[in-house]
Amino acid sequence: MQDIPSTEEEWDELAEVVSASGGNHPHHMAMDWHENIQDGGLKAKDATLEDKCAIIARIGILTLSAGAGGWRVRETMNRIARKLGVVCSAEMGLLTISLTCVDGTDRETLVVTLPKTGINTPRLWRMETFLKDLEACCADLTVRECHRLMDQIERDTSKGYKPWQYGLASGFACCAFTFLLGGGPIEMGCALVGAGLGHFVNKLIGAKRINTFACISVAVATACVSYLLALTLLGFIIPGAGTHIAGYIGAMLFVIPGFPLITSGLDIAQMDFKSGLERMAYALSIILVATLTGWLVATLVHLQPTEFDPQGLSPEMLFLLRLITSFVGVYGFSIMYTSPMKMAATAGLIGAVANTLRLTLVDASVAPEAAAFAGALAAGLLASAVRRKLTFPRLSLTVPSIVIMVPGLYMYRAMFYMATNDAMNSVSWLFRAAMIVIGLPIGLAVARILTDRHFRYIS
C-alpha cells in the first residue's frame, strides 16, 4: 500500500498517473512487494513470518492470475509453505486469496486480489518450473531473490501475441468449429471473418481496460454484424449464399469461457465450492451476455435459428476432415490463451483425437452427454501421458482440447427461445447444453483421479 503524498512533487506525480489512466483511480491498488519486505537479505527459510507469508501469497496470486483453479492454487501454496516451515490455511475465489500462515505461536494473515481474471498458459508453465526450483533451493535463496524471480515471471509472461494474431487464431478456430457443427464452406468463411474481427476488437478495447462485459458485448456484436456483411457480399458473387445463415452462431464462439467453466467443475470435485461456484457464476455471466447480444443482433435483422444443410461427405472424408478441423480449432483456442506454438500444437493433437472420438460416438447413436464425457476423459488421459514426456501444464493441454466440445449452439438457441418466450424449446435446449457441459469436467476429473495421486486423495 502506497503512502499518502506529502510533498508538492509527489502530488504532481500522482496527478500525472491519474491523468494517464483517463482521470480515474484504479479500482484495485497494486501491491509493491519489494517495499513490504521486512529483511530481504535473509534466506527464505530463515525469514520473518511476514516475509514468508508474502512469498506464499505472491506465488498463489501469480498462479491464480494465470487461470488455474482454486484447488491447484492451494496445492501450489501448500508446497512452498512446507518448504518454508510454516502452516498455511488459504481460501480463494475467482479474484481473491485470503491466507493465514502460522509458525509456532506467531500468525500472519494476508489478503491479495486481482483486478480481473484471465488466462495465461505461459505463466502457468513458468510457475510450475519456478515451483520445482524453489522447492529444491529455497534454503539458498534470499527473500529479495525470490521476489526478483517472480518479477521476471510476471514481466516475461505479460506479453502475448499481437491483437491481429489473436484475431486470426480466433477466426480459424471458429471456422473449424463451424464445420464441426455441420457447416459448409460458406458458413466457415463467414465465421472466419466474423470471429476474427470480433476477437480483434475485443483485444483492442480490452487493452483500454474497458469493463469486461462491455468488451464481450461489443466483440460479439462486431462478430455477428461482420458475419452478416460477409454473407451479403458473398451473395453478389455466389447465388444463394445469403441463405446460409445457420453458421451465424459460429462467429461468436470465441467468447466461450473455457477455463473458468472447466476449472469450476474441477474445484467442485475437490469440494472447493467457493472457488468453483464463483468461477461458474463468471462463466455463466459471460455466456449470458454473449448469447443475449447475439440474439439482439439477430432480432434486429429478423434472423431465426436454422439447421445446416447436409455436408454430403463420405464417412471416410468426414472422419479425416473432423481430425483436421478439430486440430485447427483447438490450436486456435490455445493461441487465444497465449500458449506458445509448440504447446498449442500439442493441445491440438490431443483435441483432434478426443473430439473426433466424441463425434464418432454421437454418430454411433451414443447420447451426446455420454460422448462428451468420453471425449473429455480421453483428453485428460492423453494429456497425462504427454505430460510425462513434456513439461507443459496439464490444464494448458486439456482445457483447449475440450473447449471445442462446449455446446455453444445449444446455449444460443436456448437463449434465443427464452427471449422470444418459447419456454418449451428454451428449456429443452438449455437442459441439453447443461448436461453436456456437466459431462466435460466430470470426464476430466475422472482422468485426474486415475492419473494424479494428488487429485485422487483428500487431505
Side-chain angles (χ1 to χ4, degrees):
M1 185 173 178
Q2 296 180 346
D3 295 331
I4 297 176
S6 58
T7 66
E8 184 176 349
E9 290 78 10
E10 290 177 348
W11 278 109
D12 290 341
E13 184 179 351
L14 178 62
E16 290 178 5
V17 172
V18 173
S19 177
S21 65
N24 295 318
H25 291 286
H27 299 294
H28 294 76
M29 300 184 72
M31 173 75 76
D32 191 328
W33 297 98
H34 291 275
E35 280 193 3
N36 289 277
I37 293 176
Q38 301 295 315
D39 192 341
L42 288 176
K43 300 295 184 182
K45 196 168 184 179
D46 302 324
T48 63
L49 183 58
E50 290 86 348
D51 284 341
K52 290 180 180 179
C53 189
I55 291 173
I56 296 168
R58 191 175 186 191
I59 287 172
I61 205 69
L62 279 174
T63 308
L64 186 66
S65 71
W71 174 81
R72 175 60 67 187
V73 175
R74 179 179 289 104
E75 185 200 33
T76 298
M77 296 165 66
N78 287 344
R79 286 169 61 182
I80 296 303
R82 293 187 189 100
K83 287 295 180 180
L84 295 179
V86 299
V87 176
C88 175
S89 177
E91 183 180 68
M92 64 275 305
L94 179 67
L95 298 172
T96 306
I97 297 177
S98 175
L99 74 154
T100 298
C101 293
V102 179
D103 186 5
T105 58
D106 297 328
R107 66 185 61 205
E108 179 76 11
T109 298
L110 191 61
V111 178
V112 286
T113 62
L114 292 171
K116 64 177 182 178
T117 186
I119 300 103
N120 192 321
T121 51
R123 182 171 294 178
L124 273 178
W125 191 13
R126 288 286 300 275
M127 286 303 297
E128 285 200 0
T129 304
F130 171 71
L131 190 65
K132 293 175 183 176
D133 293 342
L134 192 59
E135 283 183 307
C137 61
C138 67
D140 300 320
L141 291 175
T142 65
V143 173
R144 199 170 299 280
E145 286 171 341
C146 290
H147 281 289
R148 283 174 180 166
L149 288 173
M150 287 187 279
D151 288 340
Q152 187 178 2
I153 293 172
E154 192 168 8
R155 181 174 59 251
D156 291 348
T157 58
S158 63
K159 303 171 185 177
Y161 297 97
K162 298 182 184 301
W164 68 266
Q165 292 173 312
Y166 284 115
L168 198 61
S170 172
F172 278 102
C174 291
C175 170
F177 211 149
T178 302
F179 172 82
L180 295 169
L181 291 174
I186 293 177
E187 291 94 345
M188 292 169 64
C190 294
L192 190 154
V193 173
L197 289 175
H199 197 49
F200 175 73
V201 168
N202 185 35
K203 285 296 179 181
L204 287 181
I205 61 178
K208 304 290 185 183
R209 295 189 294 180
I210 304 298
N211 177 276
T212 299
F213 297 112
C215 288
I216 294 297
S217 298
V218 173
V220 170
T222 301
C224 294
V225 172
S226 298
Y227 179 93
L228 295 174
L229 288 176
L231 196 62
T232 302
L233 292 175
L234 271 180
F236 293 110
I237 303 172
I238 304 174
T243 62
H244 292 262
I245 60 173
Y248 172 79
I249 182 61
M252 67 174 79
L253 295 178
F254 63 90
V255 299
I256 290 176
F259 261 79
L261 200 61
I262 301 306
T263 54
S264 68
L266 294 176
D267 282 345
I268 291 173
Q270 283 291 330
M271 305 298 288
D272 192 344
F273 287 96
K274 176 179 171 59
S275 177
L277 292 177
E278 284 190 20
R279 289 171 183 278
M280 185 181 295
Y282 170 75
L284 293 178
S285 298
I286 295 293
I287 292 170
L288 180 64
V289 170
T291 52
L292 278 175
T293 304
W295 163 79
L296 180 61
V297 174
T299 300
L300 292 175
V301 295
H302 306 292
L303 287 184
Q304 294 272 348
T306 58
E307 298 294 336
F308 289 101
D309 293 336
Q311 292 175 316
L313 299 171
S314 65
E316 295 79 11
M317 181 58 68
L318 182 61
F319 181 84
L320 178 62
L321 290 178
R322 280 175 173 175
L323 277 174
I324 295 172
T325 52
S326 294
F327 173 84
V328 172
V330 174
Y331 184 90
F333 277 113
S334 296
I335 295 295
M336 289 165 60
Y337 298 147
T338 69
S339 297
M341 291 187 179
K342 186 177 179 181
M343 184 188 293
T346 305
L349 292 173
I350 293 173
V353 174
N355 191 52
T356 303
L357 170 65
R358 177 185 69 91
L359 294 173
T360 303
L361 290 174
V362 172
D363 289 345
S365 300
V366 175
E369 299 83 3
F373 168 82
L377 177 62
L381 294 175
L382 287 171
S384 297
V386 168
R387 194 170 182 270
R388 295 171 185 170
K389 303 293 183 182
L390 303 173
T391 58
F392 299 144
R394 185 186 283 104
L395 201 63
S396 67
L397 300 178
T398 53
V399 173
S401 62
I402 66 173
V403 165
I404 206 165
M405 304 180 191
V406 175
L409 178 62
Y410 291 6
M411 296 173 181
Y412 169 71
R413 288 187 172 183
M415 185 53 60
F416 182 92
Y417 288 121
M418 183 183 295
T420 55
N421 295 320
D422 189 343
M424 186 70 70
N425 276 321
S426 177
V427 171
S428 175
W429 285 105
L430 186 62
F431 183 76
R432 294 168 68 183
M435 292 300 293
I436 293 175
V437 169
I438 290 171
L440 295 176
I442 291 178
L444 276 189
V446 171
R448 290 289 290 271
I449 290 171
L450 294 174
T451 60
D452 186 349
R453 63 185 180 86
H454 295 293
F455 195 92
R456 187 181 308 138
Y457 299 105
I458 61 175
S459 299

